[in-house]
Amino acid sequence: MPLRVACQMDPIERIDIRGDSTFAILLEAQKRGHNLFYYTPPNLSLHGDKLLARGHTLEVQDKQGSHYKLTRPRVEDLAKRDVVLLRQDPPFDMAYITTTHLLERIHPKTLVVNDPAQVRNAPEKIFVLDFLDLMPPTIVTRSLEDVQAFRKEMGDVILKPLYGNGGAAIFRIAKDDTNTGSLVELFQTVFREPFMVQQYRPEVKDGDKRIILVDGEFAGAINRVPPAGETRSNLHVGGTAKPTKLTKREEEICARLGPELKRRGLLFTGIDVIGPYLTEINVTSPTGIRQVKQFGGADIAALIWDAIEAKV
């Protein structure tokens, strides 16, 4: 049965369709005959008890440079839609959080994917702290003294913002580095919240594995290998996607996380693993599904729609 689907996302004209997971999900929805309505977060508003979005009917095609067509501009009552896809990228700031509060007013009568309350309660670098035994040694702090003591213990650490994304503002402070004080001072100036400091894992040179789960079940994985001279492996900053398989340890991590993801209504998630360690759980706008399919893995967009259709 065709569904009435709304997609809340970043401006569609700016996306790179070659690796964009939202675009793959939209292509699959259109293939299944679902009606697509598109809007951006600033065009979401509450009028009394009605949650309204100003947007357009959307058509998509897998063609670089002419990948979308917008028609029928209008204001839509989102409560009359069957599904809303919550798919804008971070930053996970108050603007993002506000959209989750607004969308929570129509969920679950209108299915919002992922569950907006659970997205709000599961920032990438906060939710993962529920599984400290799976992580490398980690602290969350604003204190220079804490960072210095942790670095003295670990020898080599990674400093990163708590609500960052895409590999932005991630720094390695190696054993002989003399910039600890200035970097912490910079973070204290730029960010109001605490930041995360983790033991540096040398396994990252062989890749940072992105593992995708759909409704709590393993769906596919890619290995993201950092470029020469770079600590970060994110595709946004030049990392290269490689095909991969799960290790026994990674299967154990998926088995631990899967039931909790399903319980929370986090239908589409991406987890990051370096060596034997879980580092992040991505619930806002995970990527990687196009690369998995390109390497001969599962059609994860199809698995996502199978799961959505089973819930509507």
Side-chain angles (χ1 to χ4, degrees):
M1 178 183 71
L3 299 176
R4 291 168 54 82
V5 177
C7 186
Q8 176 176 305
M9 62 181 288
D10 298 310
I12 194 166
E13 66 271 16
R14 300 180 190 172
I15 65 173
D16 182 354
I17 67 171
R18 294 169 297 179
D20 193 272
S21 291
T22 301
F23 189 73
I25 293 168
L26 292 172
L27 283 172
E28 180 63 22
Q30 183 173 273
K31 177 181 175 183
R32 296 182 180 217
H34 300 326
N35 173 272
L36 297 178
F37 175 76
Y38 152 84
Y39 70 96
T40 56
N43 289 306
L44 181 68
S45 58
L46 187 67
H47 292 232
D49 63 350
K50 288 188 176 181
L51 186 60
L52 305 179
R54 188 178 301 275
H56 299 77
T57 295
L58 172 67
E59 297 177 21
V60 289
Q61 61 176 353
D62 201 1
K63 187 175 181 181
Q64 190 78 19
S66 58
H67 58 278
Y68 72 98
K69 180 180 178 182
L70 302 179
T71 57
R72 294 188 59 215
R74 64 191 185 279
V75 176
E76 184 90 8
D77 182 352
L78 293 184
K80 295 181 179 179
R81 288 270 147 178
D82 300 304
V83 179
V84 175
L85 302 172
L86 173 53
R87 287 295 303 170
Q88 82 261 26
D89 288 336
F92 193 78
D93 55 13
M94 287 308 300
Y96 202 118
I97 289 171
T98 300
T99 68
T100 68
H101 282 294
L102 295 178
L103 289 170
E104 194 178 359
R105 303 179 75 88
I106 61 170
H107 178 81
K109 185 175 180 181
T110 294
L111 179 66
V112 182
V113 179
N114 288 322
D115 181 319
Q118 295 301 333
V119 167
R120 184 172 66 247
N121 292 335
E124 267 85 276
K125 297 178 184 69
I126 297 292
F127 180 25
V128 71
L129 297 173
D130 288 356
F131 303 92
L132 281 171
D133 62 306
L134 301 178
M135 296 178 66
T138 300
I139 64 170
V140 177
T141 186
R142 282 184 64 83
S143 164
L144 173 60
E145 291 76 15
D146 288 349
V147 177
Q148 290 173 328
F150 185 75
R151 183 182 172 219
K152 183 177 180 180
E153 180 184 359
M154 296 295 136
D156 198 343
V157 299
I158 294 290
L159 183 70
K160 51 188 175 181
L162 207 55
Y163 299 109
N165 69 295
I170 293 179
F171 294 89
R172 177 185 177 187
I173 307 177
K175 186 175 182 179
D176 297 324
D177 198 301
T178 60
N179 293 300
T180 304
S182 57
L183 278 174
V184 170
E185 180 181 316
L186 177 65
F187 270 51
Q188 290 170 335
T189 302
V190 173
F191 304 111
R192 295 180 61 188
E193 63 276 353
F195 37 88
M196 178 173 277
V197 192
Q198 268 181 347
Q199 180 189 51
Y200 171 74
R201 297 305 309 175
E203 298 95 333
V204 74
K205 70 181 186 301
D206 298 318
D208 176 354
K209 196 170 291 189
R210 164 56 56 86
I211 302 170
I212 298 167
L213 295 94
V214 175
D215 208 18
E217 299 292 333
F218 169 73
I222 56 170
N223 194 33
R224 301 171 299 178
V225 180
E230 176 63 80
T231 298
R232 302 169 298 172
S233 59
N234 307 72
L235 302 182
H236 286 73
V237 294
T240 302
K242 301 285 187 181
T244 190
K245 296 181 179 179
L246 294 194
T247 65
K248 184 176 180 181
R249 167 66 170 176
E250 290 159 353
E251 290 174 351
E252 293 170 353
I253 291 173
C254 290
R256 276 281 303 280
L257 269 57
E260 182 63 12
L261 297 174
K262 186 178 181 70
R263 185 189 72 80
R264 289 178 177 237
L266 297 171
L267 188 145
F268 175 27
T269 57
I271 67 172
D272 296 339
V273 177
I274 298 175
Y277 292 110
L278 173 69
T279 58
E280 291 189 14
I281 304 173
N282 298 275
V283 306
T284 50
S285 187
T287 60
I289 70 177
R290 300 214 85 178
Q291 291 87 351
V292 169
K293 187 176 180 182
Q294 288 164 7
F295 292 137
D299 185 344
I300 296 176
L303 296 177
I304 290 168
W305 279 108
D306 287 347
I308 291 173
E309 290 168 0
K311 293 177 184 295
V312 173

